[in-house]
Amino acid sequence: MLESVPIKSIIQIINAMAAIGLVAILWKYRGRLTVRFLIALELCAAVWSISYAGEFVTNNLQHKIFWSQLSYLGIAFIPVYFFFFTTSFSQKSKLINVKYLTLSYIIPIATLVMVFTNGSHHFIWEKITYTVETNIIHYQYGWWFWIFYSYTLILIASGLYNLFSSVGSFTSYYKSQIVILFTGSSIPIIANILYVSKFNPFPGFDWTTISFVITGVFITFGIYKYQIFELVPLAKKKLIDTMGDGVIVVNEKGLVEDLNPASLKILGVNKKKSINTPIQNVLKEHAQLVQSLNATEEKTLELATGKNGHTLYYQVRISPIINRNRIVSGKLIVINDVTTIREAEIKLKHSNQQLIREIKKNEKLIEDLDSFAHTVAHDLKNTLGSIYSSTEVITESIEDGNKELTKEIAELIREMSQKTVQVTNEMLKMATAGHHDVEKVPVNMELILAESMKQLDDIIKQYNATIELPSVWNSSLGYAPWLEEVWINYISNAIKYGGNPPVIKIGSEKLTRNKVKYWIRDNGNGILPQDQEKLFKKHTRLNPEKAVGYGLGLSIVKRIIEKLDGTVGIESTGIAGEGTEFYFILPTR
């Protein structure tokens, strides 16, 4: 029976099977609008091919005309579906709606009506002739056919323009998709023009349906070679173009295939100079990122860049792109701006460090006060006990009228009370210097020293001390009330531990552009190096027999100067007569 079937019918049946096979391949992608239009187009081509095959099977003219009429069920709608297929692929979504779809069906439906009623008006075919020898019918077309044919050419030309105009929007990878679709779509058009225009090597035989087989081969090749329809390129392009995160696509050769505006802004590169350029050249200022591109697995790292004096932080994720064959075909680089998060972390870390410093400072203060409390508790107990006992003695002496004893006991109470007040003051000074923050401003050190010496007037006269002052003072930043306490401690120590009589020199000198050193030298026996490190520590008294206080003076000095962003120190050879120099250094700005 197969021998009785004309070869032309067999060819058309093969065409139909090829179109249906392509529909089967495309069916898995039917969720995409672009693919649905292509499936409809191939189904129309299958209807056309089957009808054309039926036309060649029969030798009856009326039957041939009937099959020719049926073929228009496919022919009439192919240009419509082709146009909307290319429009959807090019993401011109504004043209794809119910209104435009409805309008596009008007001429095809009108053509179908005229095809099946041609016998009464001959608008499609004015004359039909049949050649028995070739089993082919020939048409002389009517005026409506040329309207439909013009409409077909306009839609197909518009579809080809959609594909052609999209080339400039895509990278080389996606351009390959466009070229394949453009080439495959052009073949049926050329074949149909040859048929209608009579420039046909086989007169009466329409090559258009066969050309759809070739088109199907092109598109199938594109599906497996370039993953057409896995991701519509322009849809992907529009998506990443609007993202705030940077996106870079690198192919298997290490060349940049695509990068969005956000990545251009982050990296500060030019798109035209980056496309088809080795990724190492694009990221040459980010060596760490370039090294991470060699990783075979997904990798995340942090990138920091400076802009207008402000540091920006980015999290970079490098992921391999795996193709259908489970082979790495490139890299996807996604750059997220995490500046806000990192700045918050830095602030939190800074706050934690500040809190830790405050805790340590408070712990040290508590330790100092606790240690000092244990040191002076016994003395305070004895002093207060003596005061309490003295009140009983003074009461008895008053009753006995012994004024001399009463006066002597009152003087003793005064001295013991003064001693208690001194201890209390030292404890308050230590607590104040440890807790309070003050504004550091330029100070007049000459006036501050004068106020300190007023408070030490009695001890200066008592020891017959000589104090030499500088003619010029260097200015620095500080807090006057605290600096008075520093000078009081330094001068009183110089008087107590200096020579006999004490000779004290005070001065200042500029160390650097923003630091000033203030010093005081005595003429005492000096302090041995092994003892120097003990000074400035709480309740330290190297010569208890000379000391009046409880060893907090230099500890308070150190705490005050450090709160003023300065440092304290001592210089002494420990040789008798060469004395000791105590100093403190303050910033000038």
Side-chain angles (χ1 to χ4, degrees):
M1 182 177 180
L2 187 60
E3 290 80 359
S4 62
V5 179
I7 188 65
K8 296 176 182 177
S9 295
I10 294 174
I11 293 174
Q12 295 302 329
I13 291 173
I14 293 174
N15 290 338
M17 293 174 64
I20 293 172
L22 184 57
V23 169
I25 294 173
L26 294 172
W27 192 253
K28 66 178 292 186
Y29 305 100
R30 65 187 181 278
R32 297 170 174 82
L33 183 61
T34 306
V35 178
R36 290 203 292 271
F37 284 123
L38 186 57
I39 288 174
L41 186 151
E42 292 301 324
L43 288 174
C44 288
V47 170
W48 186 358
S49 294
I50 292 171
S51 301
Y52 207 18
E55 182 180 334
F56 283 111
V57 169
T58 180
N59 294 321
N60 185 286
L61 179 59
Q62 294 302 317
H63 291 169
K64 285 183 176 293
I65 294 174
F66 170 73
W67 282 110
S68 186
Q69 289 172 326
L70 287 180
S71 69
Y72 270 81
L73 293 172
I75 295 172
F77 297 101
I78 281 180
V80 173
Y81 293 133
F82 177 77
F83 171 76
F84 283 107
F85 159 68
T86 58
T87 301
S88 178
F89 187 85
S90 302
Q91 291 296 290
K92 297 178 180 178
S93 55
K94 292 183 179 180
L95 298 176
I96 305 175
N97 54 52
V98 175
K99 175 184 175 181
Y100 288 117
L101 280 170
T102 302
L103 291 174
S104 67
Y105 285 137
I106 293 176
I107 290 182
I109 292 174
T111 301
L112 278 178
V113 172
M114 293 184 185
V115 164
F116 284 98
T117 60
N118 187 74
S120 61
H121 51 69
H122 302 290
F123 292 161
I124 299 296
W125 303 303
E126 289 184 354
K127 184 179 179 181
I128 301 174
T129 58
Y130 172 51
T131 304
V132 177
E133 290 79 8
T134 59
N135 195 27
I136 293 177
I137 58 177
H138 302 275
Y139 303 98
Q140 183 175 338
Y141 300 111
W143 65 272
W144 182 261
F145 172 84
W146 295 112
I147 291 177
F148 169 71
Y149 193 67
S150 299
Y151 176 71
T152 298
L153 292 179
I154 291 172
L155 286 183
I156 292 177
S158 300
L160 292 176
Y161 174 76
N162 284 339
L163 295 177
F164 185 78
S165 63
S166 299
V167 173
S169 302
F170 302 141
T171 61
S172 58
Y173 182 83
Y174 294 114
K175 286 176 182 177
S176 301
Q177 296 187 12
I178 301 298
V179 169
I180 287 174
L181 289 175
F182 186 87
T183 304
S185 301
S186 301
I187 294 173
I189 313 307
I190 296 172
N192 189 252
I193 291 174
L194 289 174
Y195 172 72
V196 173
S197 63
K198 309 299 183 181
F199 292 104
N200 194 339
F202 298 93
F205 185 80
D206 191 348
W207 293 88
T208 307
T209 53
I210 296 177
S211 65
F212 275 108
V213 176
I214 302 174
T215 299
V217 170
F218 269 85
I219 295 177
T220 303
F221 172 77
I223 289 173
Y224 286 96
K225 175 65 176 177
Y226 297 104
Q227 289 82 50
I228 296 179
F229 309 128
E230 288 286 354
L231 180 64
V232 178
L234 197 56
K236 167 257 179 191
K237 179 178 176 62
K238 287 187 176 180
L239 173 64
I240 69 170
D241 277 358
T242 57
M243 290 175 62
D245 298 331
V247 179
I248 304 174
V249 180
V250 183
N251 63 23
E252 69 276 7
K253 296 179 181 178
L255 303 179
V256 175
E257 278 289 346
D258 200 4
L259 67 172
N260 68 344
S263 63
L264 297 175
K265 183 178 180 181
I266 292 169
L267 300 174
V269 297
N270 180 276
K271 184 170 184 177
K272 289 184 178 180
K273 294 181 180 179
S274 300
I275 295 295
N276 293 324
T277 300
I279 186 64
Q280 292 84 352
N281 295 348
V282 177
L283 302 176
K284 59 185 176 181
E285 295 184 3
H286 307 285
Q288 183 184 2
L289 185 53
V290 172
Q291 293 174 359
S292 301
L293 291 171
N294 297 324
T296 57
E297 298 180 352
E298 184 171 299
K299 188 168 185 179
T300 302
L301 66 153
E302 188 167 286
L303 174 70
T305 63
K307 189 173 183 180
N308 299 326
H310 181 62
T311 302
L312 302 176
Y313 299 90
Y314 299 95
Q315 185 182 71
V316 182
R317 186 172 67 255
I318 305 172
S319 305
I321 300 174
I322 311 297
N323 62 18
R324 288 176 177 271
N325 299 321
R326 310 298 298 172
I327 298 174
V328 176
S329 59
K331 297 287 178 68
L332 178 67
I333 304 173
V334 180
I335 309 174
N336 308 102
D337 189 341
V338 293
T339 302
T340 303
I341 297 174
R342 290 293 175 268
E343 287 180 345
E345 290 177 352
I346 292 171
K347 288 181 180 178
L348 181 60
K349 184 178 180 180
H350 177 74
S351 298
N352 288 339
Q353 291 174 343
Q354 184 71 18
L355 181 60
I356 290 172
R357 286 194 294 268
E358 290 294 331
I359 291 173
K360 288 182 178 180
K361 181 177 68 176
N362 291 335
E363 286 177 346
K364 188 175 187 304
L365 177 61
I366 292 171
E367 179 186 352
D368 289 347
L369 292 175
D370 183 62
S371 180
F372 178 70
H374 283 84
T375 303
V376 301
H378 182 70
D379 289 343
L380 283 175
K381 180 180 178 182
N382 290 340
T383 302
L384 294 174
S386 299
I387 291 173
Y388 178 78
S389 300
S390 297
T391 57
E392 295 180 353
V393 175
I394 201 169
T395 300
E396 293 176 0
S397 65
I398 291 173
E399 291 176 352
D400 295 341
N402 190 343
K403 293 183 179 181
E404 291 297 327
L405 180 59
T406 300
K407 185 177 179 181
E408 185 179 335
I409 297 299
E411 182 62 25
L412 179 62
I413 291 174
R414 189 184 73 80
E415 291 178 359
M416 288 187 291
S417 299
Q418 188 178 17
K419 188 177 181 180
T420 304
V421 170
Q422 182 181 355
V423 172
T424 304
N425 284 337
E426 288 190 354
M427 292 182 71
L428 288 174
K429 290 173 187 176
M430 175 172 280
T432 300
H435 279 295
H436 289 185
D437 287 322
V438 295
E439 181 182 1
K440 294 176 281 294
V441 297
V443 293
N444 188 328
M445 199 62 75
E446 185 177 7
L447 292 179
I448 292 172
L449 183 64
E451 289 297 324
S452 301
M453 291 177 63
K454 283 183 183 179
Q455 299 183 48
L456 296 172
D457 187 60
D458 290 341
I459 189 174
I460 292 172
K461 292 178 179 178
Q462 179 185 344
Y463 283 83
N464 193 26
T466 300
I467 301 177
E468 298 179 12
L469 302 177
S471 58
V472 178
W473 286 91
N474 290 289
S475 179
S476 65
L477 299 179
Y479 179 60
W482 283 4
L483 291 174
E484 285 182 19
E485 294 296 333
V486 171
W487 282 118
I488 287 172
N489 274 283
Y490 271 177
I491 294 172
S492 61
N493 283 343
I495 291 173
K496 289 182 232 176
Y497 298 103
N500 188 16
V503 177
I504 300 168
K505 295 181 179 180
I506 297 175
S508 69
E509 59 184 277
K510 206 161 189 178
L511 299 181
T512 62
R513 188 176 179 183
N514 58 354
K515 289 187 181 296
V516 173
K517 176 182 178 182
Y518 300 95
W519 49 265
I520 177 170
R521 299 189 187 104
D522 61 47
N523 60 336
N525 293 329
I527 301 173
L528 296 173
Q530 61 267 30
D531 291 331
Q532 292 176 16
E533 60 183 23
K534 298 177 184 178
L535 296 172
F536 298 106
K537 292 185 178 180
K538 53 187 179 296
H539 52 269
T540 297
R541 290 175 291 179
L542 298 182
N543 296 310
E545 68 279 0
K546 289 188 178 183
V548 178
Y550 286 84
L552 280 180
L554 293 179
S555 178
I556 293 172
V557 167
K558 184 173 185 292
R559 190 176 297 278
I560 287 174
I561 296 302
E562 286 179 350
K563 290 285 285 186
L564 296 176
D565 299 326
T567 56
V568 296
I570 177 177
E571 294 179 3
S572 179
T573 61
I575 299 175
E578 292 189 3
T580 302
E581 177 186 293
F582 284 89
Y583 65 85
F584 61 91
I585 299 172
L586 292 176
T588 60
R589 60 180 180 181

Short mmCIF file of all heavy atoms in Angstrom, two decimals, residues 491-529:
data_model
loop_
_atom_site.label_atom_id
_atom_site.label_comp_id
_atom_site.label_asym_id
_atom_site.label_seq_id
_atom_site.Cartn_x
_atom_site.Cartn_y
_atom_site.Cartn_z
N ILE A 491 54.15 68.78 94.49
CA ILE A 491 54.92 69.75 95.30
C ILE A 491 55.06 69.27 96.73
O ILE A 491 56.15 69.35 97.34
CB ILE A 491 54.24 71.14 95.25
CG1 ILE A 491 54.31 71.70 93.81
CG2 ILE A 491 54.93 72.10 96.21
CD1 ILE A 491 53.50 72.97 93.61
N SER A 492 53.97 68.76 97.31
CA SER A 492 54.03 68.29 98.70
C SER A 492 55.01 67.13 98.83
O SER A 492 55.76 67.04 99.82
CB SER A 492 52.64 67.88 99.19
OG SER A 492 52.12 66.82 98.41
N ASN A 493 55.04 66.21 97.84
CA ASN A 493 56.00 65.10 97.88
C ASN A 493 57.43 65.62 97.75
O ASN A 493 58.35 65.13 98.41
CB ASN A 493 55.71 64.10 96.76
CG ASN A 493 54.53 63.21 97.07
OD1 ASN A 493 54.12 63.11 98.22
ND2 ASN A 493 53.98 62.57 96.05
N ALA A 494 57.64 66.61 96.86
CA ALA A 494 58.98 67.17 96.67
C ALA A 494 59.48 67.83 97.96
O ALA A 494 60.67 67.78 98.28
CB ALA A 494 58.97 68.18 95.53
N ILE A 495 58.55 68.47 98.70
CA ILE A 495 58.93 69.12 99.96
C ILE A 495 59.26 68.07 101.02
O ILE A 495 60.28 68.14 101.70
CB ILE A 495 57.79 70.05 100.44
CG1 ILE A 495 57.67 71.25 99.50
CG2 ILE A 495 58.05 70.51 101.87
CD1 ILE A 495 56.48 72.14 99.80
N LYS A 496 58.38 67.04 101.12
CA LYS A 496 58.56 66.03 102.17
C LYS A 496 59.80 65.17 101.94
O LYS A 496 60.51 64.81 102.87
CB LYS A 496 57.33 65.14 102.24
CG LYS A 496 56.09 65.80 102.81
CD LYS A 496 54.97 64.80 102.86
CE LYS A 496 53.73 65.34 102.18
NZ LYS A 496 52.64 64.35 102.13
N TYR A 497 60.03 64.80 100.65
CA TYR A 497 61.11 63.86 100.36
C TYR A 497 62.34 64.56 99.77
O TYR A 497 63.30 63.89 99.38
CB TYR A 497 60.63 62.80 99.37
CG TYR A 497 59.50 61.96 99.93
CD1 TYR A 497 58.20 62.18 99.52
CD2 TYR A 497 59.75 60.96 100.87
CE1 TYR A 497 57.16 61.42 100.01
CE2 TYR A 497 58.71 60.19 101.37
CZ TYR A 497 57.41 60.42 100.95
OH TYR A 497 56.40 59.68 101.46
N GLY A 498 62.32 65.91 99.70
CA GLY A 498 63.45 66.64 99.14
C GLY A 498 64.56 66.83 100.16
O GLY A 498 64.60 66.20 101.23
N GLY A 499 65.49 67.72 99.78
CA GLY A 499 66.63 67.96 100.66
C GLY A 499 66.24 68.80 101.87
O GLY A 499 65.06 69.12 102.09
N ASN A 500 67.25 69.20 102.64
CA ASN A 500 67.00 69.98 103.84
C ASN A 500 67.91 71.21 103.83
O ASN A 500 69.10 71.12 104.08
CB ASN A 500 67.29 69.13 105.09
CG ASN A 500 66.87 69.83 106.36
OD1 ASN A 500 66.10 70.79 106.34
ND2 ASN A 500 67.37 69.34 107.49
N PRO A 501 67.36 72.40 103.47
CA PRO A 501 65.95 72.65 103.13
C PRO A 501 65.66 72.23 101.67
O PRO A 501 66.58 72.15 100.85
CB PRO A 501 65.81 74.15 103.31
CG PRO A 501 67.18 74.67 102.97
CD PRO A 501 68.15 73.65 103.46
N PRO A 502 64.39 72.01 101.35
CA PRO A 502 64.03 71.60 99.99
C PRO A 502 64.25 72.73 98.98
O PRO A 502 63.86 73.87 99.22
CB PRO A 502 62.53 71.27 100.09
CG PRO A 502 62.27 71.09 101.54
CD PRO A 502 63.20 72.01 102.25
N VAL A 503 64.86 72.38 97.86
CA VAL A 503 65.01 73.31 96.74
C VAL A 503 64.32 72.65 95.53
O VAL A 503 64.75 71.58 95.06
CB VAL A 503 66.48 73.60 96.43
CG1 VAL A 503 66.58 74.52 95.21
CG2 VAL A 503 67.15 74.25 97.64
N ILE A 504 63.29 73.30 95.07
CA ILE A 504 62.43 72.66 94.04
C ILE A 504 62.43 73.53 92.79
O ILE A 504 62.29 74.76 92.87
CB ILE A 504 60.99 72.49 94.57
CG1 ILE A 504 61.03 71.60 95.81
CG2 ILE A 504 60.08 71.90 93.50
CD1 ILE A 504 59.71 71.60 96.58
N LYS A 505 62.55 72.87 91.63
CA LYS A 505 62.47 73.55 90.34
C LYS A 505 61.28 73.00 89.55
O LYS A 505 61.07 71.79 89.51
CB LYS A 505 63.75 73.36 89.54
CG LYS A 505 64.98 74.01 90.17
CD LYS A 505 66.22 73.81 89.30
CE LYS A 505 67.44 74.48 89.93
NZ LYS A 505 68.65 74.30 89.09
N ILE A 506 60.53 73.92 88.94
CA ILE A 506 59.34 73.54 88.16
C ILE A 506 59.47 74.14 86.77
O ILE A 506 59.92 75.29 86.61
CB ILE A 506 58.04 74.02 88.84
CG1 ILE A 506 57.88 73.35 90.21
CG2 ILE A 506 56.83 73.73 87.94
CD1 ILE A 506 56.70 73.86 91.00
N GLY A 507 59.07 73.39 85.73
CA GLY A 507 59.15 73.91 84.37
C GLY A 507 58.30 73.11 83.38
O GLY A 507 57.61 72.17 83.77
N SER A 508 58.40 73.51 82.13
CA SER A 508 57.65 72.81 81.06
C SER A 508 58.46 72.87 79.78
O SER A 508 59.30 73.76 79.61
CB SER A 508 56.28 73.43 80.85
OG SER A 508 56.40 74.72 80.27
N GLU A 509 58.19 71.93 78.89
CA GLU A 509 58.87 71.92 77.59
C GLU A 509 57.97 71.24 76.56
O GLU A 509 57.19 70.35 76.89
CB GLU A 509 60.21 71.19 77.70
CG GLU A 509 60.10 69.75 78.18
CD GLU A 509 61.46 69.11 78.36
OE1 GLU A 509 62.00 68.65 77.33
OE2 GLU A 509 61.95 69.07 79.51
N LYS A 510 58.10 71.68 75.32
CA LYS A 510 57.30 71.12 74.23
C LYS A 510 58.04 69.91 73.67
O LYS A 510 59.17 70.04 73.20
CB LYS A 510 57.08 72.18 73.15
CG LYS A 510 55.83 71.95 72.34
CD LYS A 510 55.42 73.22 71.62
CE LYS A 510 54.04 73.05 70.99
NZ LYS A 510 53.58 74.28 70.32
N LEU A 511 57.39 68.76 73.73
CA LEU A 511 58.01 67.53 73.24
C LEU A 511 57.82 67.38 71.73
O LEU A 511 58.76 67.15 70.99
CB LEU A 511 57.42 66.31 73.95
CG LEU A 511 57.63 66.28 75.47
CD1 LEU A 511 57.01 65.01 76.04
CD2 LEU A 511 59.11 66.34 75.82
N THR A 512 56.59 67.46 71.29
CA THR A 512 56.26 67.35 69.87
C THR A 512 55.28 68.45 69.52
O THR A 512 55.01 69.33 70.35
CB THR A 512 55.63 65.98 69.54
OG1 THR A 512 54.41 65.86 70.26
CG2 THR A 512 56.55 64.83 69.92
N ARG A 513 54.74 68.35 68.32
CA ARG A 513 53.81 69.38 67.85
C ARG A 513 52.55 69.44 68.72
O ARG A 513 51.93 70.48 68.86
CB ARG A 513 53.44 69.09 66.40
CG ARG A 513 52.65 70.19 65.74
CD ARG A 513 52.42 69.85 64.28
NE ARG A 513 51.64 70.87 63.62
CZ ARG A 513 51.24 70.81 62.36
NH1 ARG A 513 51.59 69.78 61.62
NH2 ARG A 513 50.53 71.78 61.83
N ASN A 514 52.19 68.30 69.32
CA ASN A 514 50.94 68.28 70.08
C ASN A 514 51.08 67.70 71.47
O ASN A 514 50.10 67.18 72.03
CB ASN A 514 49.86 67.52 69.30
CG ASN A 514 50.28 66.10 68.99
OD1 ASN A 514 51.41 65.72 69.27
ND2 ASN A 514 49.38 65.32 68.43
N LYS A 515 52.27 67.75 72.07
CA LYS A 515 52.46 67.26 73.44
C LYS A 515 53.38 68.20 74.23
O LYS A 515 54.36 68.69 73.70
CB LYS A 515 53.03 65.83 73.45
CG LYS A 515 52.03 64.77 73.00
CD LYS A 515 52.59 63.38 73.18
CE LYS A 515 51.60 62.33 72.70
NZ LYS A 515 50.37 62.33 73.48
N VAL A 516 53.00 68.39 75.50
CA VAL A 516 53.80 69.25 76.40
C VAL A 516 54.11 68.48 77.68
O VAL A 516 53.23 67.79 78.23
CB VAL A 516 53.03 70.54 76.76
CG1 VAL A 516 53.79 71.34 77.83
CG2 VAL A 516 52.85 71.40 75.52
N LYS A 517 55.35 68.60 78.12
CA LYS A 517 55.80 67.93 79.35
C LYS A 517 55.94 68.96 80.47
O LYS A 517 56.59 69.99 80.29
CB LYS A 517 57.13 67.23 79.11
CG LYS A 517 57.74 66.58 80.35
CD LYS A 517 59.08 65.95 80.02
CE LYS A 517 59.74 65.33 81.24
NZ LYS A 517 61.06 64.76 80.92
N TYR A 518 55.34 68.70 81.63
CA TYR A 518 55.48 69.52 82.83
C TYR A 518 56.25 68.70 83.87
O TYR A 518 55.94 67.53 84.08
CB TYR A 518 54.11 69.92 83.38
CG TYR A 518 53.27 70.73 82.39
CD1 TYR A 518 52.34 70.09 81.57
CD2 TYR A 518 53.43 72.10 82.30
CE1 TYR A 518 51.58 70.82 80.66
CE2 TYR A 518 52.67 72.84 81.40
CZ TYR A 518 51.76 72.19 80.58
OH TYR A 518 51.01 72.93 79.69
N TRP A 519 57.25 69.33 84.53
CA TRP A 519 58.09 68.57 85.45
C TRP A 519 58.38 69.36 86.73
O TRP A 519 58.26 70.58 86.78
CB TRP A 519 59.40 68.18 84.78
CG TRP A 519 60.12 69.32 84.09
CD1 TRP A 519 60.06 69.66 82.79
CD2 TRP A 519 61.02 70.28 84.70
NE1 TRP A 519 60.83 70.76 82.50
CE2 TRP A 519 61.45 71.15 83.68
CE3 TRP A 519 61.50 70.48 86.00
CZ2 TRP A 519 62.32 72.19 83.93
CZ3 TRP A 519 62.38 71.52 86.25
CH2 TRP A 519 62.78 72.37 85.20
N ILE A 520 58.75 68.59 87.74
CA ILE A 520 59.15 69.18 89.04
C ILE A 520 60.34 68.36 89.57
O ILE A 520 60.29 67.13 89.58
CB ILE A 520 57.98 69.17 90.05
CG1 ILE A 520 58.46 69.72 91.40
CG2 ILE A 520 57.35 67.78 90.19
CD1 ILE A 520 57.30 69.96 92.36
N ARG A 521 61.45 69.08 89.96
CA ARG A 521 62.66 68.40 90.44
C ARG A 521 62.95 68.84 91.88
O ARG A 521 62.85 70.03 92.22
CB ARG A 521 63.87 68.75 89.58
CG ARG A 521 63.74 68.33 88.13
CD ARG A 521 65.06 68.50 87.38
NE ARG A 521 64.89 68.26 85.94
CZ ARG A 521 64.86 69.22 85.03
NH1 ARG A 521 64.99 70.49 85.40
NH2 ARG A 521 64.70 68.93 83.75
N ASP A 522 63.33 67.83 92.69
CA ASP A 522 63.73 68.17 94.08
C ASP A 522 65.22 67.90 94.24
O ASP A 522 65.89 67.47 93.30
CB ASP A 522 62.90 67.37 95.09
CG ASP A 522 63.08 65.86 94.94
OD1 ASP A 522 64.24 65.42 94.83
OD2 ASP A 522 62.07 65.13 94.91
N ASN A 523 65.74 68.17 95.44
CA ASN A 523 67.16 67.97 95.72
C ASN A 523 67.36 66.90 96.79
O ASN A 523 68.30 66.97 97.58
CB ASN A 523 67.81 69.28 96.16
CG ASN A 523 67.17 69.83 97.42
OD1 ASN A 523 66.01 69.52 97.71
ND2 ASN A 523 67.90 70.65 98.19
N GLY A 524 66.46 65.92 96.79
CA GLY A 524 66.54 64.87 97.79
C GLY A 524 67.50 63.77 97.41
O GLY A 524 68.37 63.93 96.55
N ASN A 525 67.31 62.60 98.08
CA ASN A 525 68.21 61.47 97.88
C ASN A 525 67.90 60.65 96.63
O ASN A 525 68.61 59.70 96.32
CB ASN A 525 68.17 60.55 99.11
CG ASN A 525 68.76 61.23 100.33
OD1 ASN A 525 69.66 62.07 100.22
ND2 ASN A 525 68.25 60.88 101.50
N GLY A 526 66.83 61.01 95.95
CA GLY A 526 66.47 60.26 94.74
C GLY A 526 65.76 58.95 95.07
O GLY A 526 65.58 58.58 96.26
N ILE A 527 65.38 58.24 94.06
CA ILE A 527 64.65 56.98 94.22
C ILE A 527 65.33 55.92 93.37
O ILE A 527 65.60 56.13 92.18
CB ILE A 527 63.17 57.13 93.78
CG1 ILE A 527 62.50 58.23 94.63
CG2 ILE A 527 62.42 55.81 93.91
CD1 ILE A 527 61.10 58.56 94.15
N LEU A 528 65.61 54.78 93.97
CA LEU A 528 66.27 53.71 93.24
C LEU A 528 65.37 53.17 92.13
O LEU A 528 64.14 53.17 92.25
CB LEU A 528 66.62 52.58 94.22
CG LEU A 528 67.64 52.94 95.32
CD1 LEU A 528 67.78 51.79 96.31
CD2 LEU A 528 69.01 53.26 94.70
N PRO A 529 65.98 52.70 91.03
CA PRO A 529 65.18 52.20 89.90
C PRO A 529 64.19 51.11 90.29
O PRO A 529 63.07 51.09 89.79
CB PRO A 529 66.25 51.67 88.93
CG PRO A 529 67.47 52.49 89.24
CD PRO A 529 67.43 52.72 90.73
#
